[in-house]
Structure formats: structure tokens, C-alpha cells
Amino acid sequence: MAAPLGVLVFSALLAACSVLLDKSKDQCATNGECARFGAAFQCVQNVCINGGGSDDAGPDGAPSDDGGSDACVPSPKTKNADFYNEKCTNSSCIPFDNCAKTATPTVTCASLPSPVYLTGSSALRNFVGVVGKLLASDAAPVTVVYQSQGSCVGVRTIYEADPTKRVIKDVPSAGGRPANYAIYFKADRSAQECFLEPDGTPVTIGISDVYANTCGYTATTDGSTVTDYFGPVQPMAFVVPASSKQQSISAEAAYLAFGTGGGGPWSDPRFFFIRNSSSGTQQMVANSIGVPGNAWWGIDRGGSSGVRDQLKIIVDQAQADKAIGILSSDVADVERANLRVLAYQAKEQLCGYLPDSSATSRDKANVRDGHYDIWGPSHLFARTVNGAPSAAALAFLSRFVTPRIPVELLDAEIAGSLVPQCAMNVTRTEEVGPMQSYQPPYSCGCYFDAKTKGSTSCKSCESASDCPSSAPTCNFGYCEVQ
Ligand SMILES: *[C@@H]1O[C@H](CO)[C@@H](O)[C@H](O)[C@H]1NC(C)=O
Ligand SMILES: *[C@@H]1O[C@H](CO)[C@@H](O)[C@H](O)[C@H]1NC(C)=O
Ligand SMILES: *[C@@H]1O[C@H](CO)[C@@H](O)[C@H](O)[C@H]1NC(C)=O
């Protein structure tokens, strides 16, 4: 529903760059012009729509979407997968789960020492795990139990008034879908599955890549207060197969592709590797390019691993040039041999920049100083009373909602392509909103540079007495301003 609204907002901007992207919002006038998308595509209200149904490449609610499913693949079937996967059969299917890595739990989560229950963003698992390890190692151990889901699930499980919606439940494997049991983190940093309560276990902290209002929540309806605690900064990125010729994308070009179904170099939505509206990655990018997160063209690949795995195997040059996806930096950075992060040129920006200072570095310099737009703090939501979270929530939050975070956590954030707040030179308070200069209360920029670049121009130190007056404090072994 929101797509046409976005079209209106942007059409004025697009007119300004008709030389670069000679493409109006109208994709087609006749069915013939949609043939390039495939035989089943038809021109409906000037947009090419797969005649099939809800699993076409258009956003749900697009003009011709009939809400049905493509059970039968229309003739002619052109590839083996059309025959393999056609659902109009009376034969039963017996799935083999290629991804089944999760063991069935052997313990109940509630039996573990002082459990605290987290759910939400899959991208923040590593970060949660390190805090989990630290807490499990305490003299009075606290057990971090975590179930990976979309960011907006993390928000929902804290904001909802109905207590039955503020729980997480065991998800055994079924019908080819892998199991999603909660896991808990041990002092050796390993993780193991555990059983939640049969009727669901209440969530202590919801974790999200995006602000609550991005997920449609502004306040609780039961009078409770929710506090959003900021964790490390997470960059999101456009990615293409490594063999693609594309190096850069603008907000306007991304708008044409994901908002109107095609434009510029990316004109075939079957090659758009996207997520859905519950994905923090998609919602954050949506804010920067001006296409509502629930109205994207492209095909939902069912998670960041789906985007990654399906995009990186594209080798045909023509397909590679058409293909584009979205990933968080932590997923994209470990795939640099297979996927290229595109430089991004935001609205009003004159040139595109990578999150890092170069394609081979990991310094996130352009995120840290504001040259790269698509980033935001990770969010940890907890219900609070008179400003205070529950004791269980506080046990987790106290490890990083502090100017000086433990060095082990700092290292894990850096290794996980996150940027700790203490290494940021800019800050913002809304989703991809206005930026302001930022001086962290306990800076770790020098340490971050040393870790990611192997060197820093900062003076090393053992104590403040080693530091010059221009950078008088000794933080994590380097002289910093503060
Ligand atoms: C499935 O079985 C029903 C009932 O026997 C039959 O009408 C239908 O044609 C069958 N479908 C296929 C695809 O064989
Ligand atoms: C959105 O994607 C997630 C996986 O990332 C999936 O679990 C969820 O069912 C999807 N939601 C819809 C409405 O398709
Ligand atoms: C952040 O600001 C400090 C102090 O001005 C500067 O030395 C450093 O290079 C900046 N870092 C980045 C990544 O911009």
C-alpha cells in the first residue's frame, strides 16, 4: 500500500538525474515490454507483475497480487527446478533438511543458573554470545538464553500489551524448515540448545538492528515504559556478486530498483535478493532509500544467509551484473572473496563511499565519520520501572551500557564488523536520521584503528602519565582526547 506514496515522494528527485537513469516510474505500457522478466509477467498499471501470485517478485499488495500461491508452474517449464518443486501434486514430500545443524535440546532453559532471555536480530548473535560468556564466567553466573529471529520480533516481544505475545517458544524442525531452539552461552563461549517453557518463556530483552518505530511501535498500550539501550553500531550494505561490474549505487538508483521494480543497472526484480518487512537490514536500508520496508520489489530469500548463499553462487556475467542484495556488514565482510559491497551515495551526497576506507580495509572509517549513511546503533529493549530494568535485564545491560566496555567485548564487536559506540565520531537519534559530531565519553578510536588497520597514529601508553596534553587519557593502551 505504501509503495505509491514513496513513488510520489521521489519522482521529483528522479527528474533531476534523467541523464544517468533515463527511466520514468512507469515500467511498461504493454505486456510485451514485460517479456524480459519472464513469460508470466504482465503489465498492470504500468508495472510488470508476475501473473502468478503472492510469491512473485513484486511487493505484497502490488496491483495484481491476488494473495494466492504459485502452486502450479505455468507451461512451458524452463528449468529443472520448475519440475522439481511444482506443488500441484498429490504425492507427499519428505524433506531432507540440508541446514539442520541444531541439536535437539537436552536441558530446560529454566533449570540453568539465573537465566535471562533475549530474542531478535540474528546479526547480533556474536555480540550476545560474548556478553553471555562473560556473565557465565561470573562468580554468581547468569545464563544468557537467546533465540534468533527478526529484529522486529525483538521489538514486539517487549512492546506488546498481551503477555502471550511477549514470549519465545521452541521451534522444532518441520516441513523442511530448520529447527530454531533457544541457545544458551557457556563460560567457554560455546552455545547449546535448551527447551523453553511449553507455553512460551517471557522475553527479558528484545534485540533489534532498528528503532522501535521502524517496526511500528512507539509506546506500549498497557502503560508500561520501555527503554531502548544502545549497543554497537551496525552498518548495512548493498552487495553484488564479486564478478559484477557494479561498484556503486545511489539512493535514487536503489529507489528505482527496489521501489519501482527496476531502473538503471538493476532492472530485473527476479535478481533482487531481499528480505521482508521484519528484517532490520531491510528496514534500515528502506529508511535511507525512501522505499517502505514492506513494499520492496525482489524476492525474499528468507534471511541474511539466504541472501548471501544465493547471491554468491551467481557466476554468469550478465546475471551477476543484474543481481543485487542487502546484507549487514558482519555477514558481507566475511564474504569479500564472493561478494562486493557497493559504495553508497545517499540523497544529497555527491559521491558514493564504502563503509570502510577501501575495499580491502575493515576500519569502518566512513561509518565512523559520517561518509557512509546506512548505519544505526543496535537496540536492546527492556521494560523499565522508574527508569530501572529488572535485575535480570540489568545483569546483561550493565556489561555494555557503560562508557568503558570490557576489552573482550570490544574485541568481539570489532571482529564481528560492528563499531563500538566508543569508536564513533558521529551519532544519530533516529533511523538513518540527522547526524551530529560525537565525542565518546571513553574513546576507543585509536584501539579500533590499531586492531583493524594494524597501526594508528595515536601514542601508545600504559597510563595517563605517558600521554600528551592534547590526548591526556590512556584508554585501551592509547592516548585519547577523552
Ligand atoms: C489429486 O487428487 C484429486 C482427487 O483424487 C484429483 O482430483 C486431482 O486431479 C489430483 N491432482 C493431481 C495433480 O494429480
Ligand atoms: C520474513 O522473513 C523471516 C526470515 O528472515 C521469516 O521467518 C518470516 O516468516 C518472514 N515473514 C513473512 C511475512 O514472510
Ligand atoms: C575521529 O576523531 C578523531 C579526533 O578528531 C580523529 O583523530 C580520528 O581520525 C577520527 N576518526 C575517524 C574514523 O574519523
Side-chain angles (χ1 to χ4, degrees):
M1 293 308 282
L5 189 73
V7 171
L8 291 176
V9 171
F10 239 88
S11 47
L13 272 170
L14 294 176
C17 54
S18 56
V19 179
L20 180 64
L21 297 162
D22 187 14
K23 183 92 173 63
S24 77
K25 75 183 173 65
D26 290 349
Q27 232 177 9
C28 56
T30 65
N31 287 344
E33 289 171 60
C34 297
R36 64 199 161 114
F37 293 151
F41 280 76
Q42 296 170 351
C43 188
V44 179
Q45 295 179 16
N46 303 112
V47 173
C48 295
I49 300 283
N50 185 331
S54 66
D55 51 346
D56 56 32
D60 285 344
S64 78
D65 198 305
D66 61 10
S69 72
D70 292 342
C72 294
V73 178
S75 297
K77 300 184 180 66
T78 55
K79 50 190 190 304
N80 277 3
D82 292 343
F83 297 92
Y84 288 152
N85 300 324
E86 189 175 47
K87 286 179 205 140
C88 56
T89 169
N90 284 332
S91 306
S92 55
C93 88
I94 303 162
F96 180 83
D97 183 7
N98 280 330
C99 328
K101 287 184 214 106
T102 39
T104 302
T106 51
V107 294
T108 59
C109 308
S111 67
L112 301 163
S114 307
V116 32
Y117 296 93
L118 281 77
T119 196
S121 168
S122 54
L124 296 167
R125 183 201 143 127
N126 190 37
F127 162 70
V128 173
V130 175
V131 181
K133 181 217 159 191
L134 293 171
L135 293 175
S137 317
D138 278 355
V142 168
T143 309
V144 174
V145 178
Y146 163 74
Q147 189 178 40
S148 164
Q149 309 203 54
S151 284
C152 291
V153 177
V155 177
R156 188 191 76 207
T157 51
I158 300 300
Y159 273 86
E160 279 290 337
D162 178 354
T164 64
K165 292 185 177 159
R166 297 204 305 268
V167 297
I168 42 177
K169 292 181 177 174
D170 294 334
V171 181
S173 67
R177 180 198 64 199
N180 186 17
Y181 289 109
I183 53 175
Y184 70 97
F185 298 97
K186 305 186 200 177
D188 64 4
R189 214 183 147 183
S190 67
Q192 189 178 320
E193 288 73 19
C194 61
F195 282 120
L196 297 164
E197 300 296 321
D199 294 332
T201 302
V203 174
T204 322
I205 297 173
I207 356 170
S208 169
D209 306 334
V210 289
Y211 285 84
N213 62 359
T214 301
C215 298
Y217 291 90
T218 47
T220 61
T221 54
D222 59 10
S224 308
T225 305
V226 172
T227 302
D228 178 357
Y229 298 91
F230 289 169
V233 161
Q234 217 183 2
M236 305 297 180
F238 290 100
V239 288
V240 295
S243 58
S244 165
K245 291 196 280 288
Q246 312 303 338
Q247 302 282 344
S248 180
I249 188 168
S250 65
E252 290 80 3
Y255 174 83
L256 277 178
F258 298 106
T260 74
W266 298 282
S267 56
D268 186 341
R270 292 173 304 166
F271 290 94
F272 299 170
F273 293 68
I274 65 162
R275 304 283 303 281
N276 63 40
S277 61
S278 72
S279 153
T281 305
Q282 182 151 320
Q283 290 288 3
M284 200 191 292
V285 178
N287 268 271
S288 188
I289 69 173
V291 178
N294 63 355
W296 280 42
W297 281 80
I299 296 173
D300 179 2
R301 311 289 161 157
S304 53
S305 52
V307 171
R308 177 194 66 203
D309 295 347
Q310 293 177 41
L311 199 52
K312 75 182 196 183
I313 56 171
I314 295 179
V315 287
D316 176 78
Q317 185 65 51
Q319 292 189 2
D321 289 341
K322 288 192 281 194
I324 185 166
I326 49 166
L327 285 175
S328 53
S329 278
D330 62 317
V331 181
D333 275 352
V334 294
E335 292 287 347
R336 286 193 184 177
N338 304 310
L339 297 174
R340 176 184 311 118
V341 169
L342 295 180
Y344 178 64
Q345 181 176 324
K347 287 175 234 173
E348 301 171 42
Q349 193 168 15
L350 301 176
C351 188
Y353 289 90
L354 293 170
D356 300 284
S357 59
S358 74
T360 52
S361 63
R362 288 169 188 268
D363 55 19
K364 300 286 171 284
N366 293 323
V367 175
R368 294 162 62 203
D369 73 5
H371 277 92
Y372 184 83
D373 189 51
I374 316 173
W375 61 268
S378 47
H379 305 260
L380 291 100
F381 295 97
R383 290 190 160 216
T384 49
V385 176
N386 298 326
S390 68
L394 185 63
F396 188 94
L397 295 168
S398 61
R399 287 305 167 107
F400 69 91
V401 184
T402 165
R404 182 183 180 162
I405 63 175
V407 70
E408 194 172 5
L409 186 53
L410 187 58
D411 287 347
E413 292 178 2
I414 296 170
S417 293
L418 300 169
V419 183
Q421 298 277 350
C422 59
M424 290 294 290
N425 281 3
V426 288
T427 188
R428 55 177 25 148
T429 56
E430 294 165 26
E431 204 76 81
V432 197
M435 289 187 276
Q436 291 167 300
S437 294
Y438 178 63
Q439 169 61 59
Y442 191 94
S443 301
C444 64
C446 298
Y447 183 82
F448 191 97
D449 284 337
K451 275 269 166 181
T452 55
K453 299 203 279 206
S455 70
T456 164
S457 54
C458 307
K459 189 173 187 297
S460 60
C461 56
E462 296 203 340
S463 71
S465 60
D466 299 332
C467 293
S469 58
S470 56
T473 75
C474 184
N475 299 354
F476 301 109
Y478 296 95
C479 298
E480 297 267 13
V481 174
Q482 178 175 303

